[in-house]
């Protein structure tokens, strides 16, 4: 016993030492690092943020600070190091510089730059001319672009997927884990406003679970209270449930919204869950779709953060599971603390009242001709509109794929009209749903999340790599001449899936020119990778239902906007597959052009100093290879 206590005590001392070292490092780096904007303003009185780490953005978590400023405001390195990566693009981070700080094993990131510093620009221009491309991604050697602390490395702009002049600034560790810059800089410490909570949701998490007697997420509006917010009425629940919240932070004097970065969940005073949105791997930012209730986002357009951990989420920001098991006849006092980066917090209070569902099952429900089903995670939900037949027990019949028959009892009546039946698909996959005189085929295919899984028929093969799905999925598959279908699901993809399509078997090649074809779906476009004469493949990050074949034989459009001896400005557009790339030549030699997709504008290199005289030629390609040529004698 004494040795156990000694070991436990030593582990506590080790944990304390680890925390001391961690916070010592952060405080030490606060003394080393200077802010990338106005580095001599140590009070941060002139610094305005429009975004911070952990904000809920479309399909990803925000990984840095958005710092407001003006075009061409100088951007400075926060510490000495070397440029380890540069990317020039009209998309994503636009013009971006990555600086590695080897003394500290950190990397700082500076995105959406309008221009680079002269020495970085010289390096980039040389590579662009060598590659004859505006878009480049470069990885300089450590000795090529050494950087000093406070050195100007670029200028603030609005390039890439940016919608206003600002600097997107990140700090990562050497393993590409996102760190919160607000842990290193005391910016916004004047803020005294706590996060806001607009809505609260309670979701059933197993087929036996209910919220207000339904297997359905229920949404509530919290009221102000002394601690923060409360839901005055008791919420009737049974089984395993999860709490979710629509929340964000506000800052004194700012019109922007920010992340509610810390959450703690307590049941009967005991903490069972917490998260802190910091120190997560950059390659897991799309796990946002698991951090929020993705199905509820599709239904409502709102991002409810889950105050419990769902399957397949690898963000690593969580402590505890957070799922609450509610027993019949018991009440559960629940408290949720919401906190911002500056420590401002408020608490939500609510009570879950355990109540087991109780139905009068003495009536059988006869189908009127309407029967449908849906799937939520592993739960099959069968719905039907029915007439009453007295003195018998209500149920539907499932015929499983192994031939067995199961009777599924009525779960509850919804809105007095619709009968709801629930079944756990982990008990066996059905092939037919039967109710009296109605038979409904069950055509879903089971796809597993944690192993390489294939679906294949005579027309197409779909490959789901290990980890592509966060949870088990049940999908429809079909293929026709003009489109194919991969059943829409309420859970997101984590990694891309690959679809290989036998186009000759379905006569696609007789209808469409494969070389001029792409795939369109509700979230965007995918492009073909020809494997051989009879098959092609696409990679998709979405399961959206219909994937339609679209043929694009029309080249991009080029329009001259302005002409002078110093500069040419064009508008380039393509309404189908989109702009791929472009090249310009002056008197037969490559001439760099710069591009901004947000306004479809293309112009001759800003720092080109020679007069534009002679024969000029511009070539613009779309993403299926159509090319437009524009020529002029200057």
């Amino acid at each position: 016993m004494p040795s156990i206590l000694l070991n436990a005590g030593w582990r506590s001392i080790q944990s304390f030492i680890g925390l001391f070292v961690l916070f010592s490092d952060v405080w030490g780096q606060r003394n080393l690092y200077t802010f990338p904007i106005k580095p001599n303003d140590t009070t941060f009185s002139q610094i305005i943020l429009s975004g911070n780490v952990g904000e809920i953005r479309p399909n990803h978590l925000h990984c840095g600070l958005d710092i407001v400023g003006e075009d061409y405001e100088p951007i400075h390195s926060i510490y000495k190091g070397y440029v380890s990566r540069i990317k020039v693009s009209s998309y994503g981070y636009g013009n971006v510089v990555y600086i590695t700080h080897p003394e500290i094993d950190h990397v700082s990131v500076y995105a959406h730059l309008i221009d680079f510093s002269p020495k970085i620009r010289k390096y980039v221009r040389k590579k662009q001319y060598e590659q004859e491309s505006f878009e480049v991604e470069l990885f300089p050697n450590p000795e090529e672009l050494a950087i000093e602390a406070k050195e100007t490395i670029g200028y603030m702009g609005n390039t890439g997927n940016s919608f206003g002049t600002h600097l997107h600034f990140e700090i990562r560790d050497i393993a590409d884990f996102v760190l919160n810059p607000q842990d290193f800089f005391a910016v916004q410490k004047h803020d005294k406003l706590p996060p806001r909570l607009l809505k609260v949701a309670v979701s059933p998490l197993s087929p036996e679970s209910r919220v207000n007697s339904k297997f359905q997420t229920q949404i509530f509006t919290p009221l102000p209270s002394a601690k923060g917010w409360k839901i005055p009425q008791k919420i009737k629940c049974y089984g395993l449930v999860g709490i979710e919240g629509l929340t964000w932070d506000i800052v004194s004097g700012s019109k922007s919204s920010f992340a509610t970065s810390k959450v703690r969940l307590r049941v009967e005073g005991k903490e069972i869950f917490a998260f802190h949105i910091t120190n997560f791997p950059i390659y897991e930012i799309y796990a946002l779709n698991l951090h929020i209730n993705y199905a509820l986002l599709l239904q409502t357009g709102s991002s409810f953060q889950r105050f419990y951990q769902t399957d397949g989420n690898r963000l690593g920001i969580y402590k505890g599971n957070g799922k609450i098991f509610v027993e019949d006849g018991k009440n559960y006092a629940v408290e949720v603390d919401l906190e911002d980066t500056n420590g401002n917090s408020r608490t939500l209070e609510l009570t879950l009242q355990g109540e087991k569902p109780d139905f009068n099952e003495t009536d059988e429900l006869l189908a009127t001709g309407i029967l449908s089903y849906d799937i939520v995670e592993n739960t099959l939900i069968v719905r039907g509109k029915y007439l009453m037949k007295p003195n018998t027990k209500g149920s539907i019949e499932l015929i499983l794929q192994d031939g067995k028959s199961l009777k599924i009892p009525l779960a509850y009546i919804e809105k007095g009209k619709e009968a709801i039946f629930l079944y756990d698909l982990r008990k066996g996959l059905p092939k037919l749903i039967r109710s009296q005189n109605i038979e409904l085929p069950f055509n879903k295919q089971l796809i597993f999340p944690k192993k390489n899984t294939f679906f294949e028929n005579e027309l197409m093969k779909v490959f789901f790599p290990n980890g592509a799905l966060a949870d088990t999925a049940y999908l429809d598959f079909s293929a026709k001449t003009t489109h194919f279908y991969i059943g829409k699901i309420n859970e997101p993809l984590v990694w891309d899936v690959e679809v290989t399509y036998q186009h000759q078997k379905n006569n696609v090649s007789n209808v469409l020119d494969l070389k001029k074809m792409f795939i369109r779906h509700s979230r965007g476009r995918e492009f073909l990778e020809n494997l051989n004469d009879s098959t092609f493949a696409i990679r998709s990050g979405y399961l959206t239902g219909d994937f339609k074949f679209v043929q694009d034989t029309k080249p991009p459009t080029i329009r001259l906007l302005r002409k002078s001896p110093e500069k040419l400005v064009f508008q380039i557009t393509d309404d189908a597959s989109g702009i791929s790339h472009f090249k310009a030549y002056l008197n037969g030699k490559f001439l760099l052009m710069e591009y901004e997709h947000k306004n479809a504008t293309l112009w001759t290199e800003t720092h080109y100093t020679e007069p534009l005289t002679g024969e000029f030629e511009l070539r613009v390609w779309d993403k299926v290879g159509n090319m437009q040529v524009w020529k002029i004698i200057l």
Side-chain angles (χ1 to χ4, degrees), residues 5 12 67 71 93 176 205 207 217 384 402 609 629:
L5 290 174
S12 298
I67 308 166
D71 279 343
Y93 281 2
D176 246 3
L205 302 179
T217 297
D402 62 5
T609 56
V629 180

Side-chain angles (χ1 to χ4, degrees), residues 236-444:
K236 296 179 181 179
C237 296
Y238 181 76
L240 203 63
V241 299
I243 311 295
E244 301 158 3
L246 181 59
T247 174
W248 61 77
D249 186 38
I250 54 175
V251 171
S252 308
S254 175
K255 297 180 180 179
S256 301
S257 60
F258 300 90
T260 299
S261 57
K262 295 182 182 180
V263 167
R264 289 176 296 274
L265 171 66
R266 299 188 301 278
V267 178
E268 295 296 317
K270 181 181 178 181
E271 183 179 300
I272 66 167
F273 177 77
F275 69 69
H276 182 192
I277 306 179
T278 190
N279 198 19
F280 57 87
I282 189 74
Y283 45 84
E284 292 288 359
I285 61 172
Y286 300 108
L288 162 80
N289 291 325
L290 304 174
H291 177 74
I292 64 172
N293 187 326
Y294 187 77
L296 203 55
L297 172 67
L298 297 179
Q299 295 169 19
T300 67
S302 297
S303 297
F304 282 77
Q305 295 188 63
R306 287 168 156 153
F307 303 153
Y308 58 94
Q309 187 170 4
T310 191
D311 293 339
N313 192 331
R314 300 186 293 263
L315 270 174
I317 62 174
Y318 307 100
K319 177 185 175 183
N321 179 273
K323 298 175 182 178
I324 306 169
F325 187 79
V326 179
E327 296 183 52
D328 185 34
K330 294 184 178 181
N331 288 337
Y332 299 80
V334 178
E335 294 176 299
V336 183
D337 302 321
L338 306 177
E339 185 176 329
D340 66 16
T341 301
N342 297 315
N344 303 304
S345 66
R346 289 291 185 274
T347 300
L348 164 71
E349 300 172 284
L350 60 89
T351 300
L352 304 181
Q353 179 181 340
E355 183 177 285
K356 188 174 183 179
D358 184 23
F359 300 104
N360 178 6
E361 295 188 4
T362 60
D363 295 331
E364 183 175 3
L365 305 176
L366 294 179
T368 62
I370 300 174
L371 194 65
S372 63
Y373 70 82
D374 195 6
I375 297 173
V376 175
E377 294 189 351
N378 291 300
T379 301
L380 173 67
I381 307 169
V382 182
R383 303 174 182 273
K385 293 187 178 180
Y386 289 81
L387 300 172
M388 306 297 292
K389 178 182 177 181
N391 302 322
T392 54
K393 229 174 187 180
S395 66
I396 60 172
E397 183 182 12
L398 296 184
I399 309 300
L400 302 185
Q401 292 188 352
D402 62 5
K404 292 180 181 178
S405 173
L406 292 177
K407 293 288 186 181
I408 308 300
L410 172 70
Y412 57 90
I413 302 290
E414 192 172 68
K415 300 178 182 178
K417 298 179 180 179
E418 202 165 47
I420 306 296
F421 303 86
L422 302 172
Y423 170 68
D424 189 341
L425 289 166
R426 290 171 294 189
K427 296 179 179 178
L429 215 59
K431 64 179 180 180
L432 187 69
I433 304 168
R434 179 182 292 156
S435 176
Q436 299 296 322
N437 59 333
I438 296 178
E439 290 188 348
L440 181 64
F442 184 89
N443 296 318
K444 302 285 187 180

Side-chain angles (χ1 to χ4, degrees), residues 101-115:
H101 309 284
E103 287 185 10
I104 310 169
D105 284 342
H106 282 176
V107 177
S108 53
V109 183
Y110 313 80
H112 306 307
L113 304 178
I114 197 170
D115 199 359

Side-chain angles (χ1 to χ4, degrees), residues 177-208:
F177 274 63
V178 173
L179 308 178
N180 190 345
Q182 287 180 275
D183 290 338
F184 301 88
F185 303 101
V187 63
Q188 284 189 340
K189 283 298 182 184
H190 65 281
D191 173 43
K192 301 300 178 186
L193 298 177
R196 288 183 174 178
L197 179 65
L198 276 73
K199 297 287 183 181
V200 177
V202 184
S203 292
L205 302 179
S206 70
E208 298 78 21

Side-chain angles (χ1 to χ4, degrees), residues 76-202:
H76 306 268
S77 175
I78 63 172
Y79 191 60
K80 63 184 178 180
Y82 61 90
V83 176
S84 52
R85 182 182 176 192
I86 308 167
K87 189 169 184 179
V88 177
S89 175
S90 182
Y91 297 89
Y93 281 2
N95 298 329
V96 56
V97 174
Y98 297 73
I99 299 177
T100 295
H101 309 284
E103 287 185 10
I104 310 169
D105 284 342
H106 282 176
V107 177
S108 53
V109 183
Y110 313 80
H112 306 307
L113 304 178
I114 197 170
D115 199 359
F116 303 108
S117 68
K119 80 175 186 182
I120 296 176
R121 183 195 313 130
K122 181 180 179 181
Y123 176 87
V124 171
R125 288 293 183 267
K126 181 176 183 292
K127 298 297 183 182
Q128 287 175 310
Y129 273 91
E130 287 175 357
Q131 298 181 24
E132 294 194 355
S133 175
F134 164 70
E135 291 205 357
V136 291
E137 186 170 11
L138 310 170
F139 299 89
N141 296 323
E143 64 275 7
E144 289 186 276
L145 291 172
I147 299 293
E148 296 299 321
K150 293 190 180 182
E151 181 177 341
T152 299
I153 52 95
Y155 304 91
M156 186 179 292
N158 185 33
T159 59
N161 289 335
S162 166
F163 301 95
T165 301
H166 75 285
L167 171 69
H168 174 88
F169 168 62
E170 298 177 14
I171 298 177
R172 307 180 188 177
D173 69 14
I174 206 71
D176 246 3
F177 274 63
V178 173
L179 308 178
N180 190 345
Q182 287 180 275
D183 290 338
F184 301 88
F185 303 101
V187 63
Q188 284 189 340
K189 283 298 182 184
H190 65 281
D191 173 43
K192 301 300 178 186
L193 298 177
R196 288 183 174 178
L197 179 65
L198 276 73
K199 297 287 183 181
V200 177
V202 184

